[in-house]
């Protein structure tokens, strides 16, 4: 049984850190307000009115009891004031109920809208970042914590607003109690101090435990996915992996469970002890109030008002402190979310970026380019020098891991070369505006995305603003041979693909590739790159796809990566890579004469077909 790698301890939590995280709260509220100002202000208004009600209701209750006592003693028979007071209390009770429901409703609606807004921002932020950042596991930890932000923040919002509401309730009740018996406040303080100590002791521990487990939680999510998803189901069944994955999941989650159980038990144990002390203090106060009432110092109404107010005050104050720690913990997640939003593209902000030429004039030039992936000491490619001339069709070939895809990623500025420089029309590519630069390219990678959306959307992803431009979509589908796939589907372009959704239809590997290639044609890009997108096509379809590609992209610059030499040979020039360096470069005929790796591999494949 594999064991989780390290022992995870929640780091010691600093109470000050919790307090400091509160500085994110104003920004949080500004964002919620922006999401729906009307709902936001309605919520605040309802809470303000609701906050004034408890003390008013307790006071009306006191007046009712005093009136009842008066009526019993005086026997006047005039009950109109009593009925008025009862009616008033009834009205207040209904108002309080309506306000509470209004608050819950607006909390839920605001929370939903805010979570949608947060998810959208996370998607957009992710798209702004560079590939080296997206491929980093620390990035995934940040993303995971930011994602948690999207669900849990409804609670934070209502906690903070309830806190504000409770401050008003506490102040109004305090004024009521102090005006009768100032010393009761001493008892009150005594009754809540244990709660405060308890909260300070444990505040932040849940957050620091959860934070220290971010990576393991991602691992758990992944194991859940690997063990229970349509994508992995075939192999899980065939290799009998279900128990292995389930056990691995259980070992890791049990470890978390034990840690959080220990924390929860400690919290509950201490909480119970401190609560008993607090309850003792309350009953001390209650006994004093009862004695004073018996001695005739307080009326019966005063008794109910004071004991009611005291009890509520204690409850509200306890709630205030408990909620306070919940708020500081949640605000720490807020900090994670805002930190995520502030992530900068790793290529940095450069004050001025050159505009791109409308048309490429000369082409690209790699000068002594070398690259190591982040956090790696290995040169994946090195001393790479070649030209990709405008209008040229170039093919990259080489064994697995030779560095072909890496060169494409460098050309696309997904990564910056560790040494050397890439030029476009004589200017280093990093001087151009990166977003505009990447728009130059239409690329289909070997691991292209199978969007589980309609065929129309899958093709239009190449140029999404043209999704309703039927002739353009038809043209792209025809060029990539996807039109044959579409004709056979009952819903045509509107056919949802994949198995995830209702009416979805899955395609064969080759059919998916044709749809993906249509995406490249959809974009009227200056440079087209096909990174092994035809590996699942049958031999006839692949040859046809490449022939078409060469013809249809007449005048455009293109790069093709393929392991099939029979198709690669039609490229203008072929670059052969070996272990990250350029071994040979030239036309098919030149390389055959050269009689090195290309000629060897070509003969090897040709022999396989004989
Ligand atoms: N994101 C990454 N982080 C670290 N190393 C990577 C990453 N991507 C690729 N590599 C490493 O870089 C080397 C070159 O990979 P690359 O994908 O460029 O090869 P390739 O020639 O396209 O191979 P194939 O024909 O198998 O697609 C490999 O050794 C690979 O392990």
């Amino acid at each position: 049984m594999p064991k989780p790698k390290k022992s995870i301890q929640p780091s010691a939590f600093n109470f000050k850190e919790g307090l400091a995280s509160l500085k994110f709260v104003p920004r949080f509220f500004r964002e919620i307000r922006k999401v729906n100002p009307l709902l936001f202000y309605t919520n605040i208004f309802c809470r303000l009115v609701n906050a004034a009600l408890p003390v008013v209701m307790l006071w009306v209750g006191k007046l009712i009891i005093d009136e009842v006592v008066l009526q019993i003693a005086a026997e006047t028979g005039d009950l109109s004031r009593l009925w008025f007071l009862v009616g008033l209390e009834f009205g207040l009770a209904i108002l309080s109920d309506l306000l509470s429901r209004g608050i819950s409703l607006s909390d839920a609606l605001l929370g939903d809208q805010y979570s949608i807004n947060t998810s959208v921002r996370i998607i957009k932020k992710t798209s702004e970042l560079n590939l080296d950042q997206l491929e980093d596991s620390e990035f995934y930890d940040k993303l995971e914590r930011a994602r948690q932000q999207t669900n849990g923040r409804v609670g934070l919002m209502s906690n903070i607003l309830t806190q504000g509401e409770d401050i008003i309730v506490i102040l109004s009740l305090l004024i009521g109690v102090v005006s009768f018996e100032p010393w009761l406040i001493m008892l009150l303080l005594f009754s809540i101090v244990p709660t405060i100590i308890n909260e300070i002791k444990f505040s932040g521990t849940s957050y620091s435990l959860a934070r220290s487990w971010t990576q393991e939680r991602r691992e758990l999510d992944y194991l859940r996915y690997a063990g229970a998803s349509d994508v992995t189901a075939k192999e899980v069944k065939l290799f009998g992996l279900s128990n292995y994955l389930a056990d691995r999941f259980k070992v890791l989650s049990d470890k978390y469970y034990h840690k959080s159980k220990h924390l929860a038990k400690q919290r509950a144990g201490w909480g119970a002890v401190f609560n008993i002390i607090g309850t003792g203090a309350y009953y001390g106060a209650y006994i004093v109030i009862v004695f004073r009432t018996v001695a005739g110092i307080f009326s019966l109404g005063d008794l109910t008002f004071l004991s009611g107010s005291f009890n509520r005050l204690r409850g509200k104050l306890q709630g205030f402190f408990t909620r306070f720690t919940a708020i500081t913990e949640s605000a720490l997640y807020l900090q994670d979310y805002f930190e995520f939003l502030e992530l900068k593209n790793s290529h940095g902000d450069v004050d001025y970026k050159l505009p791109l030429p409308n048309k490429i004039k000369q082409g690209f030039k790699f000068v002594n380019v070398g690259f190591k992936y982040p956090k790696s000491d290995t040169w994946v490619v090195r001393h790479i020098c070649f030209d990709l001339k405008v209008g040229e069709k170039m093919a990259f070939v080489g064994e697995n891991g030779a560095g072909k895809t890496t060169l494409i990623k460098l050309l696309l500025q997904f990564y910056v070369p560790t040494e050397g420089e890439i030029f476009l029309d004589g200017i280093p590519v990093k001087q151009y505006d990166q977003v505009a630069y990447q728009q130059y390219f239409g690329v289909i990678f070997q691991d292209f995305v199978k969007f589980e959306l309609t065929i129309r959307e899958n093709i239009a992803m190449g140029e999404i603003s043209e999704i309703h431009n039927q002739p353009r979509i038809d043209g792209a589908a025809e060029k990539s041979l996807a039109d044959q796939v579409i004709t056979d589907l009952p819903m045509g372009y509107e056919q949802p693909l994949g198995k995830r959704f209702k009416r979805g239809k899955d395609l064969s590997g080759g059919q998916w590739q044709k749809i993906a290639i249509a995406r490249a044609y959809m974009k009227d890009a200056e440079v087209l790159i096909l990174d092994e997108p035809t590996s699942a096509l049958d031999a006839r379809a692949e040859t046809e796809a490449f022939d078409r590609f060469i013809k249809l992209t007449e005048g455009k610059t293109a790069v093709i990566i393929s392991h099939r030499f029979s198709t690669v040979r039609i490229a203008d020039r072929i670059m052969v890579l070996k272990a990250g360096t350029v071994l040979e470069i030239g036309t098919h005929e030149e390389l055959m004469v050269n009689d090195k790796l290309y000629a060897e591999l070509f003969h090897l494949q040709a022999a396989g077909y004989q």
Side-chain angles (χ1 to χ4, degrees):
M1 177 73 39
K3 289 211 163 61
K5 290 150 282 204
K6 49 181 179 163
S7 138
I8 297 106
Q9 291 293 341
S11 56
F13 178 74
N14 179 351
F15 189 66
K16 268 196 202 153
E17 202 183 311
L19 282 181
S21 68
L22 293 179
K23 68 171 183 274
F24 297 104
V25 169
R27 178 171 169 190
F28 174 57
F29 271 87
R30 277 198 300 276
E31 291 196 350
I32 298 182
R33 188 188 54 197
K34 244 193 262 164
V35 163
N36 190 333
L38 179 66
L39 209 53
F40 178 76
Y41 286 118
T42 309
N43 187 297
I44 305 262
F45 175 75
C46 290
R47 282 177 185 276
L48 284 176
V49 178
N50 207 29
L53 286 182
V55 73
V56 176
M57 286 175 75
L58 278 167
W59 188 254
V60 174
K62 165 201 144 53
L63 293 180
I64 290 173
I65 291 179
D66 283 346
E67 186 67 20
V68 169
V69 173
L70 193 76
Q71 289 299 333
I72 294 169
E75 291 178 359
T76 58
D78 178 12
L79 299 180
S80 56
R81 183 176 145 81
L82 186 60
W83 292 135
F84 166 74
L85 289 170
V86 171
L88 183 61
E89 193 170 283
F90 177 62
L92 289 173
I94 289 183
L95 180 63
S96 165
D97 190 42
L98 288 178
L99 286 172
S100 301
R101 277 166 206 283
I103 291 166
S104 311
L105 176 68
S106 57
D107 271 6
L109 296 179
L110 266 178
D112 284 350
Q113 287 192 337
Y114 182 67
S115 349
I116 295 169
N117 184 277
T118 319
S119 301
V120 170
R121 290 185 71 181
I122 290 178
I123 294 172
K124 289 195 172 162
K125 184 75 215 178
T126 308
S127 77
E128 282 170 25
L129 302 174
N130 244 319
L131 213 63
D132 53 351
Q133 293 169 290
L134 303 186
E135 286 177 353
D136 182 11
S137 71
E138 275 167 32
F139 165 81
Y140 278 103
D141 287 348
K142 278 209 175 83
L143 179 64
E144 159 77 15
R145 289 200 292 269
R147 259 197 210 129
Q148 284 177 4
Q149 160 67 27
T150 55
N151 305 323
R153 294 327 92 193
V154 187
L156 173 62
M157 182 193 75
S158 71
N159 265 345
I160 296 176
L161 291 174
T162 309
Q163 201 74 327
E165 194 182 327
D166 276 7
I167 290 175
I168 300 176
V169 178
I170 289 167
L171 285 178
S172 56
L173 288 171
L174 270 178
I175 293 168
V177 172
V178 170
S179 60
F180 269 94
E181 269 309 346
W183 56 265
L184 275 181
I185 297 304
M186 299 307 293
L187 265 176
L188 186 69
L189 283 179
F190 182 68
S191 74
I192 56 145
V193 164
T195 313
I196 302 174
I197 297 172
N198 193 33
E199 289 309 319
I200 291 181
K201 186 169 158 55
F202 287 105
S203 70
T205 43
S206 311
Y207 169 79
S208 50
L209 176 66
R211 190 186 165 104
S212 67
W213 265 75
T214 311
Q215 229 183 84
E216 285 71 14
R217 247 201 332 270
R218 283 201 293 111
E219 195 174 331
L220 286 173
D221 280 349
Y222 180 74
L223 288 170
R224 205 182 292 120
Y225 162 80
S229 94
D230 57 339
V231 178
T232 57
K234 285 199 290 285
E235 293 198 27
V236 169
K237 266 184 196 304
L238 210 61
F239 297 123
L241 298 177
S242 174
N243 285 344
Y244 174 81
L245 292 170
D247 287 348
R248 217 179 134 164
F249 182 88
K250 193 163 178 338
V251 169
L252 195 55
S253 39
D254 275 354
K255 202 162 175 190
Y256 186 68
Y257 169 74
H258 287 303
K259 288 227 174 294
S260 69
K261 185 175 85 177
H262 177 67
L263 205 67
K265 270 163 83 177
Q266 269 193 334
R267 216 170 178 158
W270 283 107
V273 172
F274 289 142
N275 230 10
I276 291 170
I277 301 174
T279 310
Y282 164 68
Y283 276 95
Y286 189 58
I287 290 167
V288 175
I289 299 168
V290 168
F291 271 120
R292 295 205 141 204
T293 310
V294 172
I297 301 169
F298 291 153
S299 70
L300 267 181
D302 296 342
L303 168 76
T304 38
F305 176 75
L306 278 176
S307 62
S309 299
F310 192 90
N311 200 15
R312 275 198 162 225
L313 257 178
R314 193 173 74 91
K316 288 279 173 201
L317 281 168
Q318 265 182 356
F320 180 84
F321 287 105
T322 319
R323 213 177 297 116
F324 186 74
T325 37
I327 289 172
T328 53
E329 282 203 352
S330 303
L332 287 165
Y333 281 105
L334 213 55
Q335 177 177 354
D336 291 326
Y337 169 60
F338 288 140
E339 263 176 21
F340 179 82
L341 288 187
E342 263 137 41
L343 280 178
K344 291 262 178 297
N345 182 305
S346 57
H347 290 191
D349 288 332
V350 176
D351 292 341
Y352 178 70
K353 291 275 188 180
L354 290 175
L356 278 139
N358 281 340
K359 286 259 169 241
I360 300 175
K361 291 181 195 73
Q362 301 153 22
F364 299 89
K365 191 179 190 68
F366 277 58
V367 177
N368 202 25
V369 170
F371 180 65
K372 293 179 191 174
Y373 276 99
K375 297 184 184 162
S376 159
D377 291 330
T378 321
W379 289 100
V380 172
V381 290
R382 203 148 193 217
H383 308 310
I384 303 282
C385 298
F386 71 94
D387 288 340
L388 172 62
K389 297 183 199 107
V390 64
E392 186 178 31
K393 309 278 181 293
M394 196 161 182
F396 291 177
V397 298
E399 289 156 359
N400 293 129
K404 303 177 293 293
T405 306
T406 303
L407 285 186
I408 300 295
K409 290 185 197 164
L410 290 169
L411 178 66
L412 291 167
Q413 284 205 62
F414 282 159
Y415 295 96
V416 181
T418 316
E419 61 179 26
E421 197 80 70
I422 303 171
F423 297 87
L424 165 60
D425 287 353
I427 293 171
V429 290
K430 60 179 185 241
Q431 291 188 18
Y432 292 112
D433 176 80
Q434 197 194 47
V435 177
Y437 175 82
Q438 286 171 347
Q439 290 311 309
Y440 254 9
F441 297 87
V443 189
I444 299 300
F445 284 106
Q446 56 195 120
D447 55 349
F448 63 86
V449 185
K450 296 173 179 175
F451 290 102
E452 302 218 358
L453 303 167
T454 61
I455 293 204
R456 172 185 299 285
E457 286 166 311
N458 263 282
I459 296 178
M461 292 285 175
E463 188 67 70
I464 200 66
S465 57
E466 298 293 319
I467 190 162
H468 299 299
N469 185 341
Q470 196 57 44
R472 187 151 167 181
I473 293 189
D474 283 339
E478 198 189 320
K479 286 177 188 165
S480 73
L481 305 175
D483 53 346
Q484 301 156 1
V485 182
I486 298 158
T487 332
D488 291 343
L489 291 170
M491 297 171 72
Y493 282 114
E494 310 316 321
Q495 176 68 55
L497 296 182
K499 289 172 285 208
R500 199 172 299 246
F501 305 111
K502 220 168 135 183
R503 294 193 297 181
K505 185 158 181 358
D506 206 9
L507 300 179
S508 73
Q511 290 171 327
W512 266 114
Q513 285 192 336
K514 287 176 181 167
I515 303 283
I517 299 171
R519 207 179 289 154
Y521 283 121
M522 184 73 191
K523 183 166 178 175
D524 187 22
E526 284 283 296
V527 186
L528 283 154
I529 299 177
L530 300 186
D531 181 355
E532 281 183 65
T534 50
S535 54
L537 296 189
D538 55 65
R540 188 201 307 263
E542 181 174 11
T543 314
E544 199 178 338
F546 268 108
D547 281 349
R548 282 173 153 255
F549 181 71
I550 301 290
K551 276 195 214 106
L552 293 168
T553 57
E554 185 85 50
K556 296 222 185 251
T557 314
V559 178
I560 300 156
I561 298 182
S562 173
H563 288 287
R564 291 205 209 170
F565 287 72
S566 52
T567 46
V568 161
R569 61 185 295 177
I570 54 175
D572 297 332
R573 276 194 311 153
I574 300 154
M575 181 162 81
V576 185
L577 288 163
K578 189 174 165 78
T581 52
V582 180
L583 192 70
E584 44 187 343
I585 194 161
T587 61
H588 169 75
E589 289 71 24
E590 286 167 356
L591 295 183
M592 291 306 282
V593 171
N594 215 14
D595 202 20
K596 281 196 185 164
L597 185 66
Y598 180 82
E600 184 198 334
L601 294 173
F602 186 85
H603 287 309
L604 208 67
Q605 277 195 6
Y609 288 120
Q610 273 160 18

